[in-house]
């Protein structure tokens, strides 16, 4: 069964850093776009950062641009999100999700997870003093 497993979340103080990992199992990331999404209770998901494994194109939301970095290690079949200079408003439940043949921008713009091909259960990030 194809799935993702995320880890690396936790509680950090403002200004701190975390690195989230999203390990794919049961499939390879070839031809996929992969995104990190933040889902707040009762709200639409936000496409925080997405990357296309088709051409390497990357998208960042305005709120995280310059602070976060997304990357893929294809040998490990894993996607990472390096989160620096964390702010309280970054708090949320983060999960990774993938869909075949999308651009990075399209991946991050789609609000419905059910339109994706595979996703993980997520990991909690809390930024607080």
């Amino acid at each position: 069964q194809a799935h993702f497993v995320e880890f690396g979340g936790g509680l950090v103080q403002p200004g701190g850093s975390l690195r989230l990992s999203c390990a794919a199992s049961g499939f390879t990331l070839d031809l996929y776009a992969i995104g990190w999404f933040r889902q707040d209770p009762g709200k639409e998901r936000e496409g925080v950062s997405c990357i296309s494994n088709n051409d390497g194109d990357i998208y960042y939301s305005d709120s995280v641009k310059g602070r976060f970095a997304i990357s893929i290690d294809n040998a490990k079949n894993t996607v990472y999100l390096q989160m620096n200079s964390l702010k309280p408003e970054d708090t949320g439940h983060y999960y990774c999700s993938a869909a075949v043949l999308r651009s990075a921008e399209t991946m991050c713009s789609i609000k419905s997870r059910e339109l994706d091909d595979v996703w993980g259960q997520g990991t909690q990030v809390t930024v607080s003093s």
Side-chain angles (χ1 to χ4, degrees), residues 31-111:
L31 302 180
Y32 283 85
I34 310 96
W36 283 100
F37 296 86
R38 185 177 67 243
Q39 181 79 65
D40 297 321
K43 297 183 178 180
E44 293 182 325
R45 73 179 187 180
E46 178 183 352
V48 175
S49 183
C50 295
I51 184 166
S52 172
N53 218 16
N54 300 312
D55 57 12
D57 193 27
I58 292 173
Y59 169 88
Y60 296 102
S61 68
D62 289 341
S63 64
V64 308
K65 199 170 298 180
R67 299 188 296 121
F68 292 5
I70 191 170
S71 61
I72 297 178
D73 187 336
N74 281 308
K76 296 181 178 179
N77 216 25
T78 298
V79 182
Y80 303 95
L81 184 67
Q82 180 66 45
M83 310 168 74
N84 298 322
S85 302
L86 282 161
K87 303 175 180 179
E89 52 262 44
D90 296 320
T91 294
H93 185 76
Y94 287 75
Y95 70 90
C96 58
S97 191
V100 69
L101 295 177
R102 287 182 188 169
S103 69
E105 184 174 359
T106 297
M107 184 71 199
C108 267
S109 70
I110 293 176
K111 298 298 184 181

